[in-house]
Amino acid sequence: MRKSLLIVLIYSIISCTGSKSDYLGRKDYKMIEDSDFKEVSLTSKPLSFLKDQLIKPSGILLVGDFLIVKERRSDQVLHVINLKKEEYTGIFVNKGEGAREIKSAWAMSKIDETSFIISDVRQRKYLCYTIDDLVNSSTPFKEGRLEQRGFTNTIFYNKNLGKLFYTGQFSEDFLMLEKDLKSGNVTGYGTLLDDASYASNSIVVKNHLSHATSSSNFDNTFFVFAYRNAPIIENFDYKTNKLKTIVLPNSNEPIYKAIKNDSGIISTVAVLDETIFHFNDVFMTDKYIYALYKGNTFKNWNKRHNSVVYVFDLELNPIKKYNLDIEILSFEIKDDAILYGLDIKTDIYPSIVQFDLD
């Protein structure tokens, strides 16, 4: 612990010598305070028709009237829940490394009201399903490879344009990549966050700072990014190629340790006890952006506390701060009226809860 504190102190001293005209490489940003939000308390209601079917889920996705739930402790990986009928439909798609199989389910996003895309982080591939095909045959209508070597955080598929949009920790200094599936061409947008006072030339450091969750509107012309290691939310307008940045109240720059190899090149970035994990999840609707804030240090990672959801308009102006009565891992929003959250109060057999939004 003393060693960690010494590293933090050295880092703080180094940071003081850096430029104060920007924040992690963003020269144009706005500071947001908690007092800018209207605070509202919300009470959870479990989906009582679920009876321990979810063993150890890791995330949820809303597609029409269905919730898709990723499962880690089963021979199959995708639960389907029918919200309209209030019933558990079943679990589908075999876990494995073959065609039509998923080894490690990771990023998911909705394509339209009947279909979605999911990435397999270990096999660096993606699969697209309709709800009907998932339930009836577990057959994807599209399956392909992701060429970028690295970790894909989020992925979106625009069926009309034949394009993928994805973010992750790659070797390119871009915030988001777009792949044309017909030509194979890849285009980068935006730049990663950058610690100008410490190892700014390292893509490893930039990727660490820029680890983010993302959401998009229905036609993939507008994106939002909520960062795990920095108190930052950004929106990106695809049509104008413009990025807008806000920094939330806990605005101290991220604390981390950069490890060099024998050649003096930074090869690894490690978190410390006092490193803060900021955003768990983010969701965009036609009107608002919802961001799920954790705020725990890694020292207190397993210490449970009630979650907070910040709400903004699409221009990132503060609207509300929802104080939940439990802690959730991920969430989805339906019609700006209902929040569905994955309750993590138990490590196994957790529940899905509903919050009615005012």
Side-chain angles (χ1 to χ4, degrees):
M1 183 64 184
R2 287 183 178 179
K3 184 177 180 181
S4 295
L5 290 175
L6 178 60
I7 294 170
V8 171
L9 178 60
I10 292 172
Y11 174 76
S12 299
I13 293 171
I14 294 172
S15 295
C16 290
T17 64
S19 171
K20 293 297 181 182
S21 62
D22 61 21
Y23 186 82
L24 298 180
R26 302 299 195 235
K27 296 186 180 303
D28 186 14
Y29 64 93
K30 181 179 179 181
M31 299 292 299
I32 301 293
E33 302 294 337
D34 268 352
S35 58
D36 296 329
F37 298 86
K38 176 185 176 182
E39 295 205 30
V40 179
S41 296
L42 297 181
T43 302
S44 58
K45 297 183 294 184
L47 300 186
S48 58
F49 59 88
L50 294 178
K51 305 296 183 183
D52 291 342
Q53 290 96 342
L54 313 179
I55 303 172
K56 197 174 178 65
S58 60
I60 63 176
L61 176 70
L62 181 65
V63 182
D65 291 319
F66 295 88
L67 273 178
I68 310 300
V69 186
K70 295 182 295 181
E71 176 61 67
R72 289 181 285 182
R73 293 281 183 88
S74 174
D75 292 335
Q76 294 176 300
V77 295
L78 295 178
H79 298 278
V80 178
I81 298 167
N82 190 322
L83 295 172
K84 189 173 183 180
K85 293 184 177 180
E86 295 190 346
E87 65 181 23
Y88 175 78
T89 304
I91 185 168
F92 308 93
V93 183
N94 291 332
K95 181 179 288 186
E97 298 182 357
R100 297 165 55 179
E101 293 182 331
I102 297 176
K103 180 67 174 179
S104 184
W106 201 252
M108 298 191 297
S109 69
K110 184 173 76 172
I111 299 172
D112 52 36
E113 292 302 313
T114 63
S115 62
F116 68 100
I117 183 172
I118 183 168
S119 69
D120 184 333
V121 70
R122 291 194 184 181
Q123 298 191 83
R124 297 206 317 275
K125 72 176 184 178
Y126 62 91
L127 307 95
C128 301
Y129 298 92
T130 66
I131 298 296
D132 286 344
D133 286 343
L134 176 64
V135 171
N136 293 326
S137 65
S138 295
T139 303
F141 67 81
K142 191 172 189 62
E143 182 173 351
R145 299 283 295 176
L146 292 169
E147 284 78 9
Q148 267 66 31
R149 292 188 176 275
F151 191 90
T152 302
N153 295 331
T154 56
I155 188 168
F156 308 93
Y157 172 51
N158 190 307
K159 189 165 54 175
N160 294 328
L161 298 178
K163 292 183 177 182
L164 292 178
F165 298 89
Y166 50 100
T167 69
Q169 294 170 292
F170 308 119
S171 59
E172 298 91 344
D173 188 6
F174 294 113
L175 183 60
M176 181 178 71
L177 297 173
E178 170 197 302
K179 180 178 181 179
D180 187 299
L181 295 178
K182 184 176 182 179
S183 67
N185 294 334
V186 176
T187 306
Y189 296 92
T191 57
L192 301 176
L193 299 178
D194 183 8
D195 186 350
S197 63
Y198 187 56
S200 61
N201 63 337
S202 172
I203 191 68
V204 180
V205 171
K206 290 182 180 182
N207 273 323
H208 170 77
L209 295 173
S210 305
H211 189 182
T213 182
S214 182
S215 185
S216 177
N217 64 350
F218 74 97
D219 62 355
N220 305 125
T221 57
F222 206 66
F223 297 84
V224 60
F225 306 91
Y227 292 85
R228 299 193 186 274
N229 300 314
I232 290 177
I233 298 177
E234 297 185 303
N235 64 24
F236 176 72
D237 190 325
Y238 176 80
K239 292 181 177 179
T240 63
N241 200 23
K242 289 184 178 180
L243 189 71
K244 184 173 184 178
T245 306
I246 62 168
V247 180
L248 264 70
N250 190 349
S251 59
N252 294 331
E253 293 194 4
I255 299 169
Y256 60 91
K257 177 183 178 182
I259 302 170
K260 295 183 179 180
N261 60 24
D262 294 338
S263 301
I265 298 173
I266 293 174
S267 58
T268 307
V269 177
V271 298
L272 301 172
D273 284 347
E274 303 308 316
T275 301
I276 297 175
F277 187 103
H278 291 278
F279 291 98
N280 255 334
D281 204 359
V282 69
F283 190 93
M284 178 189 293
T285 70
D286 292 337
K287 295 181 179 179
Y288 301 113
I289 291 167
Y290 301 78
L292 175 61
Y293 190 75
K294 184 174 180 67
N296 271 24
T297 62
F298 275 81
K299 178 182 178 181
N300 296 316
W301 176 260
N302 292 320
K303 186 177 181 180
R304 302 301 185 198
H305 66 97
N306 295 348
S307 293
V308 168
V309 176
Y310 288 101
V311 186
F312 307 84
D313 66 17
L314 298 185
E315 294 300 314
L316 291 178
N317 296 307
I319 303 297
K320 292 180 181 179
K321 178 185 175 185
Y322 286 128
N323 297 309
L324 310 186
D325 65 341
I326 60 170
E327 184 175 12
I328 59 175
L329 176 66
S330 65
F331 74 104
E332 293 283 290
I333 302 290
K334 186 172 179 62
D335 302 327
D336 292 303
I338 298 174
L339 185 154
Y340 293 104
L342 181 56
D343 181 1
I344 58 171
K345 65 183 177 183
T346 57
D347 191 46
I348 196 165
Y349 296 120
S351 61
I352 292 181
V353 295
Q354 173 182 325
F355 296 90
D356 295 326
L357 305 180
D358 61 346

